[in-house]
Amino acid sequence: MGELSAAMARVPADEVDREIELWLGRISQALDLDRSAIYERDSAGQPVRVTHTWRRPDFPAFPRNFDPVKFFQVTVDWVMAGNPITFSRPTEIPPKLEDARRFVERWGPKASAVIPMWGGGRVIGAASFGKFRSARQWPPELLDHLALSVRLFGSAIERKQSEMAIRAVRTELRVASRRNVMSELVASLSHEINQPLGAILSNLGGVARLLSQGNPQPAMALEAVNSAIDDTKRTAEIVRRIRSMFKHHAEHKTALGIGTLIDEVVKLTTGEAALRKIALQVEVSPAAQRVIGDSIQLQQCVLNLVMNAFDAIAEANSARRAVIVKVAPEKTGWVGVSVSDSGAGIAPAVASRLFEPFVTTKKDGMGLGLLVTRSIVEGHGGRLWATPNPDQGTTFTFTLPVADRKRVGASRRA
Ligand code: ADP
């Protein structure tokens, strides 16, 4: 029991099912049983699914899609209401569970313990431990232990389900927020541009009508053309404004500690790293190194690269799950920030187009992250590139100008 409870407490969500099946087998073997199973049901009225099974080698498997409700509805309701059933021989099955008794007399087992499984304060299913070769006694102490085991299974399943639900919500949120930003942007852009375009069209349409009537009125035509010119300028101004929104202005740039900047990003991603079982390692040397840049934009760069690294590891389902963020001096006056992952490397299909817009291999990808990152880095005078790691995965590196370079240069000259 001690080992089982330790195993159920520490097993990661992804491996809960495998671990439960393993323990179902261990328990059944220790008790010399023939076939055991765990059933789950999402809610009343839903079918009951066989989710975990163990059987003695050479013992017949469960029929596919076995739904106990079809064979013994009354008994299923009884167990799902939280009542256990144990019998040492079929005649011990309570008369009110007539449907189970009929089934057991025909198909077995000769002895069984069926225990409701609780999870998150409700019965989420049941476990059955069956002996088919002979009758069997179920001493109270053994039943207590079985009940405790099933409770541990139930809470592990409950933990797995809530973790999966959180993961699904997080992914949805991330995708939704990206989509929202994009669709907002596109909507306001088309609204702003369509309006002057409409005016230009109607003015030029007017001029065309005047000319086609063979009776041009120069003053009117000129007015319409001038108005179209104004609107064209307005449209160009809107486009310029939108572009400058995404340009990186020197005025936000200050000298900032690269170590602090990386720490901020690490704080933002530790939750995600834990959820994805990835070790995030930081190596900053020297930690006090200062660079010139826009803190928010540079955080965005590191964040993009780290999230891509996480995705690469998750996608490859790598056994080694480590991301290393490193800061190290580059050529004189520059510092390099690199993010290495242990993923499967860059897909050959996109390798030559990584920094182009909308190039993605991900189901929910936008294919903008690397483009934005590179444009920010270049706005700071640096470069961004990717290299395959010698063993596994990829390293993305970008360079930034060091803040104290003039002083360093001066002291060297001195
Ligand atoms: P997105 O992440 O939305 O796909 P990005 O521009 O950030 O957009 O990345 C473009 C593509 O580059 C990704 O879809 C992926 O195929 C590839 N890529 C980026 N980072 C990595 C990485 N660390 N390892 C492997 N492939 C990567």
Side-chain angles (χ1 to χ4, degrees), residues 118-141:
W118 291 79
R122 65 184 187 96
V123 178
I124 57 172
S128 71
F129 299 90
K131 179 123 182 181
F132 287 68
R133 285 165 297 154
S134 62
R136 181 190 212 291
Q137 296 301 314
W138 303 98
E141 197 193 348

Side-chain angles (χ1 to χ4, degrees), residues 308 312 341 345-346 354 359-362 365-370 394 396:
N308 275 350
D341 63 66
I346 289 168
L354 279 186
V359 169
T360 182
T361 52
K362 298 171 198 168
M366 298 258 307
L368 291 174
L370 287 176
T394 314
F396 279 82

Side-chain angles (χ1 to χ4, degrees), residues 239-304:
V239 172
R240 195 197 60 74
R241 262 199 352 252
I242 288 165
R243 290 198 57 178
S244 74
M245 241 165 74
F246 292 92
K247 275 235 184 82
H248 319 299
H249 292 292
E251 51 267 27
H252 299 302
K253 290 182 185 157
T254 53
L256 44 102
I258 189 76
T260 321
L261 185 130
I262 306 273
D263 284 348
E264 287 298 317
V265 177
V266 168
K267 263 188 238 152
L268 287 175
T269 53
T270 39
E272 190 76 15
L275 205 59
R276 298 188 180 199
K277 307 276 177 298
I278 294 171
L280 183 59
Q281 201 179 317
V282 180
E283 297 172 14
V284 182
S285 103
Q289 186 86 66
R290 277 146 56 89
V291 296
I292 299 167
D294 180 319
S295 163
I296 300 290
Q297 287 182 352
L298 292 178
Q299 279 184 28
Q300 183 69 57
C301 291
V302 181
L303 188 66
N304 283 349

Side-chain angles (χ1 to χ4, degrees), residues 102-379:
R102 267 201 318 271
F103 182 89
V104 165
E105 272 164 3
R106 173 131 193 236
W107 304 102
K110 293 202 168 72
S112 180
V114 181
I115 298 168
M117 181 168 71
W118 291 79
R122 65 184 187 96
V123 178
I124 57 172
S128 71
F129 299 90
K131 179 123 182 181
F132 287 68
R133 285 165 297 154
S134 62
R136 181 190 212 291
Q137 296 301 314
W138 303 98
E141 197 193 348
L142 172 60
L143 284 178
D144 284 348
H145 283 168
L146 285 178
L148 183 52
S149 310
V150 176
R151 192 165 259 281
L152 291 170
F153 291 161
S155 51
I157 290 172
E158 157 76 9
R159 177 164 61 84
K160 175 195 80 175
Q161 285 170 346
S162 54
E163 232 173 88
M164 296 300 175
I166 290 174
R167 252 186 240 193
V169 168
R170 274 184 175 230
T171 316
E172 257 172 46
L173 272 180
R174 254 180 43 200
V175 174
S177 71
R178 285 188 190 177
R179 290 230 174 91
N180 280 343
V181 170
M182 278 305 278
S183 68
E184 288 285 332
L185 190 67
V186 171
S188 64
L189 223 154
S190 42
H191 174 79
E192 288 222 37
I193 289 182
N194 271 338
Q195 206 249 332
L197 280 182
I200 293 168
L201 191 65
S202 94
N203 274 317
L204 293 183
V207 175
R209 256 196 319 279
L210 283 176
L211 293 174
S212 67
Q213 281 161 8
N215 178 20
Q217 300 183 30
M220 263 180 92
L222 188 64
E223 196 188 323
V225 168
N226 275 336
S227 169
I229 290 173
D230 285 347
D231 281 330
T232 309
K233 284 185 185 155
R234 248 176 72 206
T235 317
E237 173 61 14
I238 290 166
V239 172
R240 195 197 60 74
R241 262 199 352 252
I242 288 165
R243 290 198 57 178
S244 74
M245 241 165 74
F246 292 92
K247 275 235 184 82
H248 319 299
H249 292 292
E251 51 267 27
H252 299 302
K253 290 182 185 157
T254 53
L256 44 102
I258 189 76
T260 321
L261 185 130
I262 306 273
D263 284 348
E264 287 298 317
V265 177
V266 168
K267 263 188 238 152
L268 287 175
T269 53
T270 39
E272 190 76 15
L275 205 59
R276 298 188 180 199
K277 307 276 177 298
I278 294 171
L280 183 59
Q281 201 179 317
V282 180
E283 297 172 14
V284 182
S285 103
Q289 186 86 66
R290 277 146 56 89
V291 296
I292 299 167
D294 180 319
S295 163
I296 300 290
Q297 287 182 352
L298 292 178
Q299 279 184 28
Q300 183 69 57
C301 291
V302 181
L303 188 66
N304 283 349
L305 297 181
V306 169
M307 292 315 272
N308 275 350
F310 286 0
D311 288 345
I313 291 173
E315 174 77 12
N317 211 355
S318 306
R320 204 164 71 77
R321 302 173 76 83
V323 171
I324 304 172
V325 183
K326 209 186 263 184
V327 179
E330 281 278 318
K331 62 182 190 223
T332 321
W334 294 83
V335 67
V337 178
S338 65
V339 178
S340 303
D341 63 66
S342 54
I346 289 168
V350 297
S352 60
R353 300 182 295 128
L354 279 186
F355 301 99
E356 288 175 21
F358 309 119
V359 169
T360 182
T361 52
K362 298 171 198 168
K363 195 163 87 331
D364 300 314
M366 298 258 307
L368 291 174
L370 287 176
L371 174 76
V372 168
T373 305
R374 191 171 71 171
S375 118
I376 294 175
V377 167
E378 290 181 349

